[in-house]
Amino acid sequence: VEVNFDFGESADEMLEGYRWMMETLAPTTVGIPICMMDDRWTDGEITGFYGEMRAIAEEYAARMRWS
């Protein structure tokens, strides 16, 4: 399942949406977030956001039933 965050959501809203997606879909369905960022994001904000998304992704992967 692809979930688009492309309506100007803040970083916090995208993180919250991804966590909700993980909690809803795991352990049987993989969800891929597509996050749109514009030129207002700084390199540091993008790097921090990546780290937070990755933490959720690692938790998500651990919950999955990989058969």
Side-chain angles (χ1 to χ4, degrees), residues 43-67:
D43 290 346
E45 289 171 331
I46 293 169
T47 301
F49 179 72
Y50 165 80
E52 293 181 73
M53 288 291 279
R54 178 162 179 157
I56 295 169
E58 289 174 358
E59 181 182 345
Y60 194 177
R63 290 183 179 194
M64 290 299 293
R65 267 189 263 143
W66 303 101
S67 50

Side-chain angles (χ1 to χ4, degrees):
V1 175
E2 290 181 357
V3 176
N4 291 310
F5 297 106
D6 59 354
F7 293 103
E9 293 93 344
S10 68
D12 288 338
E13 290 169 327
M14 288 189 272
L15 290 164
E16 180 181 329
Y18 186 38
R19 178 160 296 283
W20 178 84
M21 182 177 76
M22 173 194 65
E23 292 170 352
T24 302
L25 299 177
T28 59
T29 305
V30 174
I32 306 296
I34 299 173
C35 302
M36 301 297 176
M37 300 170 192
D38 59 23
D39 59 358
R40 292 176 287 181
W41 288 67
T42 66
D43 290 346
E45 289 171 331
I46 293 169
T47 301
F49 179 72
Y50 165 80
E52 293 181 73
M53 288 291 279
R54 178 162 179 157
I56 295 169
E58 289 174 358
E59 181 182 345
Y60 194 177
R63 290 183 179 194
M64 290 299 293
R65 267 189 263 143
W66 303 101
S67 50

